[in-house]
Amino acid sequence: MEMKELVALCKKRGFLFQSSEIYGGLNGFWDYGPLGVELKRNVKNAWWQDMVATHNEQILDSGAPSQYEMTGLDCTIIMHPQVWKCSGHYDLFHDFMVDCTESKRRYRYDQLRGRWVEAKGQRIFVLGDPAADNWDESIHARAMKFFHLRGKDEGELKWEGELLSLEKIADFSQVLAPEAKHLGTLTPPREFNLMFKTIVGALGGEEDAAFLRPETAQGIFVNFRNVLDSSRVRIPFGIAQQGKSFRNEITPRNFTFRSREFEQMEIEFFCHPDTSRAWYEYWRNRRFQWYTQLGLASEKLRLREHDQDELSHYSVGTADIEYAFPFLPEGEFGELEGIAHRGDFDLRSHSEGKLVNRNGKLEVELNEKGKPKHRGSGKDLSYFDDQTRERFIPHVIEPSAGADRATLAFLCEAYDEDECPDENGKMTKRVVLRFHPRLAPVKAAVFPLVKKDGMPELAAEIYGELKKHFVTFYDEKGAVGRRYRRQDEIGTPYCITVDSQTLQDGTVTIRDRDTLQQYRVPKDSLVAEISAKMV
């Protein structure tokens, strides 16, 4: 599948639109259309149902070290500025960027890739366009243009090695930037803070500065004591949250994969330090299984442990669940979710002040006067176990998933093209979205076979009953075969047809999107029939 085909389908059928499109759009921001909002809501609902709402703390879950509790939270997008100073975001939350002095464009240092090529006695490193669907095609086109070659002369290009990140290139003097005509136009990389700054209050002074949250996690940590005292939960337990986050990405790209406004689905799981490694392994495996159960192919997923040099300064261990998105080069994967063993870093930071790692030990960072650089709340965020009579700072395991990235992955996985008979029995190409029934934006479509003999009235009655339970679509326009195709293209798993036999015995035809099989069931059992498939 070419990514451009999916992007075109998303706009055509109302899954996703460019934000503010009538004004030329705003890079890094996306609007979910009528079908997209249902799909994303289904992804979020599936996560909440599976992780929180249906969790039974009385039962030992498979693979879990012990029984545990789950609860939820919904925190504000704007929080006290000190939250981000103690968490480290104020000082450390940045990416390295490079600027092109010729095109005046800015790029993320770690997202630029290119290849060495030689032609006409000159050897240069050509960078591809980070927004392009295909790196190799982009790099090839840039090289042809730079050396003023025509198609018949492309054999003059002598390529060296595979794609390389710009991070591997020490000297930029022979680098051709993505939109430059000359070499050596990139500046050395420098830090760029990713938080969106805003103002709270009417006066608008610097003392009123605040930030749109770059993650939902910190709202959970600063409410740890509130949840503990109000909910009577006992360790081990998790607090889950879904919500918007904002990061001022330098080069948003690849559709909704990297956006400036996005939604997260996060759990902060608090446990005893002695059992934290076992809980880390449990959540790592459980979250991987969740994606496969909802239809992501296992060969396109991988669970990758971070190398030591990738870990955050506080991290005990981190694993990423990654998916082979079609916009990535062959063999590469993009992050869907991170599962991090954060130790006691967060609760200690918000209690004592911003922590730094000194010789493997977390200590409060001090300023030039020997005082904490960023003071904590001073609140006691330890946990007292009244059964063991032990007091300790809980360790935290954090499964952090992106709702937008998960939605995009399910879209990519669902997209398929095959052949099936049209209304005349002729085999023709069919575009179909093979969503898991739980995720499909529309669960069922109801058709009267013809617009007469009482069929539309009976179909409308069935439609009204189904709509009480599922998102359902009613269509009586065109041949039934065309109506099937329209539903296949938006991923509707079941189409229900009211025909002359329905008028006689009260049965309807259900047609399965994936198998194309048709079978009859009593119209009064439709709700139970479709509900049974939503597992």
Side-chain angles (χ1 to χ4, degrees), residues 409-460:
F410 288 121
L411 269 167
C412 292
E413 186 69 28
Y415 187 94
D416 192 19
E417 296 179 4
D418 64 8
E419 288 190 344
C420 72
D422 62 12
E423 62 272 14
N424 299 315
K426 181 181 178 181
M427 297 299 290
T428 56
K429 175 183 171 182
R430 175 180 73 145
V431 174
V432 55
L433 293 179
R434 302 186 189 277
F435 292 121
H436 188 289
R438 289 182 69 189
L439 302 183
V442 179
K443 307 301 185 189
V446 180
F447 310 148
L449 183 62
V450 293
K451 292 192 289 183
K452 61 181 181 178
D453 300 332
M455 294 183 199
E457 290 78 9
L458 184 53

Side-chain angles (χ1 to χ4, degrees), residues 11-30:
K11 181 175 181 181
K12 173 187 174 185
R13 290 303 186 194
F15 283 93
L16 282 152
F17 309 124
Q18 177 74 53
S19 175
S20 311
E21 184 177 355
I22 64 171
Y23 290 103
L26 187 59
N27 195 20
F29 297 90
W30 295 91

Side-chain angles (χ1 to χ4, degrees), residues 171-463:
D171 182 7
F172 289 179
S173 63
Q174 297 304 305
V175 172
L176 180 66
E179 297 177 70
K181 298 179 181 178
H182 304 91
L183 299 175
T185 61
L186 291 179
T187 64
R190 60 190 180 93
E191 294 181 3
F192 180 75
N193 194 284
L194 299 180
M195 286 199 293
F196 277 101
K197 198 172 185 178
T198 188
I199 297 296
V200 176
L203 297 179
E206 185 59 32
E207 66 276 8
D208 299 318
F211 301 94
L212 303 185
R213 66 183 180 195
E215 65 178 27
T216 59
Q218 299 306 318
I220 297 177
F221 296 130
V222 300
N223 275 292
F224 170 75
R225 176 57 59 188
N226 289 333
V227 173
L228 198 63
D229 293 343
S230 63
S231 303
R232 298 175 61 199
V233 289
R234 297 183 57 84
I235 281 182
F237 72 91
I239 303 176
Q241 180 173 203
Q242 296 178 346
K244 293 275 191 179
S245 294
F246 304 82
R247 296 182 183 181
N248 199 8
E249 293 283 355
I250 301 164
T251 53
R253 62 193 179 107
N254 292 332
F255 208 15
T256 58
F257 181 78
R258 192 174 297 281
S259 304
R260 290 181 168 123
E261 177 180 337
F262 54 96
E263 200 156 2
Q264 290 182 289
M265 307 181 294
E266 290 193 306
I267 295 170
E268 304 304 328
F269 189 82
F270 301 92
C271 57
H272 192 284
D274 293 346
T275 62
S276 59
R277 180 67 196 183
W279 281 113
Y280 169 67
E281 294 175 358
Y282 164 76
W283 280 109
R284 183 188 61 188
N285 298 334
R286 178 161 185 213
R287 291 301 304 142
F288 185 87
Q289 293 169 0
W290 186 80
Y291 290 102
T292 60
Q293 289 166 355
L294 286 175
L296 293 191
S298 57
E299 68 271 14
K300 293 183 182 178
L301 276 179
R302 72 177 184 184
L303 188 62
R304 185 183 68 85
E305 286 282 349
H306 282 206
D307 295 330
Q308 193 64 35
D309 59 356
E310 293 182 88
L311 296 177
S312 303
H313 67 282
Y314 56 80
S315 178
V316 180
T318 297
D320 283 344
I321 298 172
E322 299 176 329
Y323 178 72
F325 288 96
F327 50 74
L328 296 173
E330 185 72 26
E332 291 198 13
F333 293 75
E335 181 187 348
L336 265 184
E337 176 168 347
I339 299 91
H341 187 325
R342 301 176 68 102
D344 61 4
F345 170 80
D346 300 284
L347 294 180
R348 281 188 56 198
S349 293
H350 289 300
S351 178
E352 304 170 22
K354 181 194 171 189
L355 301 177
V356 292
N357 192 326
R358 289 198 180 92
N359 301 318
K361 184 179 180 181
L362 291 175
E363 299 178 356
V364 175
E365 184 177 7
L366 304 179
N367 60 22
E368 63 279 1
K369 297 181 180 180
K371 302 293 184 181
K373 181 178 180 181
H374 299 302
R375 297 181 61 87
S377 66
K379 305 295 184 181
D380 181 10
L381 299 181
S382 64
Y383 175 81
F384 179 71
D385 190 324
D386 57 4
Q387 294 181 350
T388 64
R389 314 305 295 174
E390 180 185 11
R391 182 174 293 278
F392 57 90
I393 303 289
H395 277 201
V396 175
I397 312 301
E398 179 192 74
S400 177
D404 302 273
R405 287 192 180 184
T407 300
L408 179 59
F410 288 121
L411 269 167
C412 292
E413 186 69 28
Y415 187 94
D416 192 19
E417 296 179 4
D418 64 8
E419 288 190 344
C420 72
D422 62 12
E423 62 272 14
N424 299 315
K426 181 181 178 181
M427 297 299 290
T428 56
K429 175 183 171 182
R430 175 180 73 145
V431 174
V432 55
L433 293 179
R434 302 186 189 277
F435 292 121
H436 188 289
R438 289 182 69 189
L439 302 183
V442 179
K443 307 301 185 189
V446 180
F447 310 148
L449 183 62
V450 293
K451 292 192 289 183
K452 61 181 181 178
D453 300 332
M455 294 183 199
E457 290 78 9
L458 184 53
E461 179 184 323
I462 293 171
Y463 167 75

